[in-house]
Amino acid sequence: MAAERQVIVVTGASSGFGRLTAVALARDGHAVAAGMRRTADRNAPAVAALHRLAEEEDLALSAVELDVQSQESADLAVGTVLDRYGRLDAVVHNAGHMVLGPAEAFTAEDLAAVYDVNVLGAQRVNRAALPHLRGQGSGLLVWVGSSSTRGGHPPFLAPYFAAKAAMDALAESYAAELIRFGIETSIVVPGAFTSGTNHFANAGGPSDTAREEVYEEPYGELRAGLTDRLNRLIPPDARAESVADEIVRIVGLPAGRRPFRSHVDPSKDGSEVVSIVADRIRAEFYRRVGIEDLLSSTASL
């Protein structure tokens, strides 16, 4: 049980890591607003299920309409949470969208759409939430990243990996710019969990299908077996819930003790070692330029 209840917004909480995180945080005693779009139609069943669970287990858990592709929606969602609970303590940036296909077959507009969800979506939510967090002089941003930003890049996932890399860079810059307002940053880096979420099942594709077909003859067999190959990297006992568990752990830590980056990668491919070394180099840089207080948000794992 959480030592102190916090009010938390989780984006992209209709399914997958988002829903698992929202439920886990509520079960730990926090008040959670599970952000999702289209709560009145497409996601109405998810909203109903969430509210039933909250009633059955007496949880402070409820859905809030939040489309990260709309600044108006983000502003309204944060306003709703503030009206509902009177405060806001943390935001979990989880909303994202995966696409699969040859990089060449994605138009510039296709890439922009992926970037819009995975990067600009977090920016919109930040612009809605940060004035309140800055005003109270405390807060926490948790960014759900991807191990691709610190490890290898399997083919046919380029637009998604590019967007997650951009989100990671945005999170790092925000960390330095927000720490003096008392707002901490933690980047949680899941590995390639191929079950327990709808990430792969709901993946999109390129709009230029003619160019996509060009890749079928030389790469068709490889593409067809891509998910199976990723599955073989994951131990059979891997649980998507472990990502939610780590977010709960981070939220529950005292301010100044939260890790800057935390890997939840059951494949143990070594990318977390690269990340730890990079974080230490960055910490030394901040020390040299005099940003001492940032070091409190870059604690080792």
Side-chain angles (χ1 to χ4, degrees), residues 183-220:
I183 302 169
E184 294 190 298
T185 293
S186 283
I187 306 171
V188 175
V189 187
F193 287 90
T194 53
S195 62
T197 76
N198 293 326
H199 226 30
F200 282 85
N202 293 338
S207 61
D208 191 341
T209 55
R211 295 210 190 188
E212 184 179 23
E213 289 174 4
V214 172
Y215 285 77
E216 186 60 29
E217 182 178 350
Y219 289 103

Side-chain angles (χ1 to χ4, degrees), residues 23 30 36 41 64 68-69 74 147-148 168 250 293:
V23 171
H30 301 291
M36 61 187 84
D41 45 70
V64 63
V68 299
Q69 292 184 275
S147 59
S148 64
D168 191 271
I250 290 170
D293 49 3

Side-chain angles (χ1 to χ4, degrees), residues 4-9 30 82 87-93 126 129-143 174-187 250-260 293-294 296-297:
E4 180 180 351
R5 184 173 100 152
Q6 298 185 54
V7 177
I8 304 168
V9 171
H30 301 291
L82 292 173
R87 60 180 297 175
L88 174 62
D89 300 296
V91 175
V92 178
H93 288 302
N126 273 355
L130 286 177
H132 177 76
L133 298 182
R134 284 190 288 101
Q136 70 188 19
S138 65
L140 170 66
L141 300 183
V142 178
W143 305 70
Y174 259 121
E177 296 175 11
L178 294 177
I179 191 63
R180 288 186 176 176
F181 292 106
I183 302 169
E184 294 190 298
T185 293
S186 283
I187 306 171
I250 290 170
V251 168
L253 289 173
R257 297 289 302 277
R258 294 165 174 141
F260 180 74
D293 49 3
L294 184 68
S296 66
S297 70

